[in-house]
């Protein structure tokens, strides 16, 4: 999995370097070339987003205990992506200003004031857009943390469930062992009782035999 992630990383680095170079060239190009370059950059930005999505999917397949480093790298790449989009918007605004200058020319203060007003409005919109993007990134980061926390919680619950099953099985084995030990103890006790009884019988029989022999000897002696 890490090899796939590193491959996506390399593609992302090459692609973002190309995008950065093209964004810097946009304001200096003639109008026709600018339009073509803008379309090209938009396409490459979409490709970069797709790479980020693939990388994000790869990171989600990593075990939670090893995911921290990859999450930090993903946050860095997403921040870089946001900066590229912001720079591209600014470059397009500069491009739009130059086109309007070519169309309007220097026709007096009214055109100049209109251009100044348009620039201020666009700058205000750009600031609002950047705020929205920052909020969106924070929400996405919060959502990612929530997802990771949920996954860790689920894994912990699964581990606890497995541990509980192991403990229950161990208890059942102990109960079976205790029951078997009780049976064995009763069997051994019975065997010891039989052995003792047999020995007592043997002793009694021995005594009887000895007494019988002594009595036989005594009767024999008396007859003679």
């Amino acid at each position: 999995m890490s090899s796939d992630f590193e491959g996506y990383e390399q593609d992302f680095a090459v692609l973002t370097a190309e995008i950065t170079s093209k964004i810097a060239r946009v304001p200096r190009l003639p109008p026709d070339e600018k339009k073509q370059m803008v379309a090209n950059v938009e396409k490459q930005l979409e490709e970069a987003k797709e790479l980020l999505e693939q990388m994000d999917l790869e990171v989600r397949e990593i075990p939670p205990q090893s995911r921290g480093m990859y999450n930090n790298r993903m946050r860095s790449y997403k921040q870089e992506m946001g900066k590229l989009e912001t720079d591209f918007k600014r470059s397009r605004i500069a491009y739009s200003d130059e086109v309007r200058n070519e169309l309007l020319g220097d026709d007096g203060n009214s055109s100049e004031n209109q251009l100044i007003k348009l620039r201020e409005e666009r700058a205000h919109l750009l600031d609002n857009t950047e705020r929205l993007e920052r909020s969106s990134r924070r929400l996405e980061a919060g959502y990612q943390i929530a997802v990771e926390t949920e996954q860790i919680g689920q894994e912990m619950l699964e581990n606890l469930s497995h541990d509980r099953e192991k403990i229950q099985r161990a208890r059942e084995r102990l109960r079976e062992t205790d029951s078997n030990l009780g049976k064995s103890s009763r069997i051994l006790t019975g065997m010891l009782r039989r052995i003792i009884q047999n020995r007592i019988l043997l002793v009694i029989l021995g005594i009887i035999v000895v007494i019988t022999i002594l009595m036989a000897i005594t009767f024999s002696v008396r007859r003679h």
Side-chain angles (χ1 to χ4, degrees):
M1 194 291 302
S2 59
S3 60
D4 293 336
F5 184 85
E6 291 173 357
Y8 289 135
E9 276 186 314
Q10 294 175 358
D11 294 340
F12 183 78
V14 172
L15 189 58
T16 52
E18 292 179 1
I19 293 172
T20 301
S21 175
K22 290 178 180 179
I23 288 174
R25 290 165 53 195
V26 166
R28 298 191 297 270
L29 294 174
D32 292 338
E33 294 183 13
K34 286 178 182 177
K35 291 179 182 179
Q36 184 177 0
M37 184 66 74
V38 166
N40 193 353
V41 171
E42 288 176 343
K43 181 179 179 182
Q44 288 187 320
L45 284 172
E46 290 298 323
E47 293 176 0
K49 289 180 182 178
E50 291 177 1
L51 281 174
L52 280 178
E53 291 177 358
Q54 291 295 329
M55 293 162 69
D56 198 23
L57 291 174
E58 291 292 332
V59 170
R60 293 181 183 179
E61 297 296 326
I62 301 175
Q65 61 270 21
S66 306
R67 199 181 296 167
M69 177 183 68
Y70 292 95
N71 284 331
N72 291 333
R73 285 154 73 173
M74 284 301 301
R75 279 193 288 271
S76 175
Y77 296 143
K78 289 177 181 178
Q79 290 175 357
E80 183 179 357
M81 188 69 195
K83 184 178 181 300
L84 282 176
E85 291 178 336
T86 300
D87 292 343
F88 181 52
K89 289 177 182 178
R90 288 175 177 169
S91 178
R92 292 187 66 178
I93 288 173
Y95 158 62
S96 301
D97 287 342
E98 290 181 2
V99 170
R100 285 187 176 88
N101 286 333
E102 291 174 3
L103 294 174
L104 295 175
D106 297 328
D107 291 335
N109 293 331
S110 60
S111 297
E112 189 71 24
N113 291 334
Q114 289 178 359
L115 288 175
I116 292 172
K117 185 177 180 180
L118 287 171
R119 289 192 184 98
E120 291 176 351
E121 290 177 353
R122 281 194 296 273
H124 182 67
L125 289 173
L126 183 60
D127 290 338
N128 290 336
T129 301
E130 290 178 352
R131 291 192 189 97
L132 288 173
E133 289 177 349
R134 286 195 295 269
S135 299
S136 177
R137 287 195 292 270
R138 291 192 192 99
L139 288 173
E140 185 177 356
Y143 173 76
Q144 184 66 27
I145 292 172
V147 170
E148 293 175 1
T149 303
E150 182 181 2
Q151 291 176 346
I152 293 172
Q154 289 178 349
E155 292 181 357
M156 289 179 65
L157 288 175
E158 290 177 358
N159 291 334
L160 288 173
S161 178
H162 293 324
D163 292 341
R164 182 180 179 183
E165 291 177 358
K166 290 177 181 177
I167 292 172
Q168 288 178 344
R169 287 195 295 270
R171 285 179 178 175
E172 290 175 358
R173 293 193 192 98
L174 285 174
R175 288 171 184 168
E176 291 176 358
T177 302
D178 185 57
S179 176
N180 293 331
L181 287 173
K183 292 178 181 178
S184 300
S185 177
R186 288 192 294 272
I187 293 170
L188 288 173
T189 302
M191 291 174 66
L192 286 172
R193 285 176 182 173
R194 291 190 191 95
I195 291 171
I196 292 170
Q197 290 174 354
N198 292 334
R199 286 184 178 178
I200 291 172
L201 289 173
L202 287 173
V203 170
I204 292 171
L205 289 172
I207 292 171
I208 292 171
V209 169
V210 171
I211 291 171
T212 303
I213 293 171
L214 290 174
M215 289 177 66
I217 293 171
T218 301
F219 287 138
S220 176
V221 171
R222 286 179 180 179
R223 285 177 185 177
H224 291 292

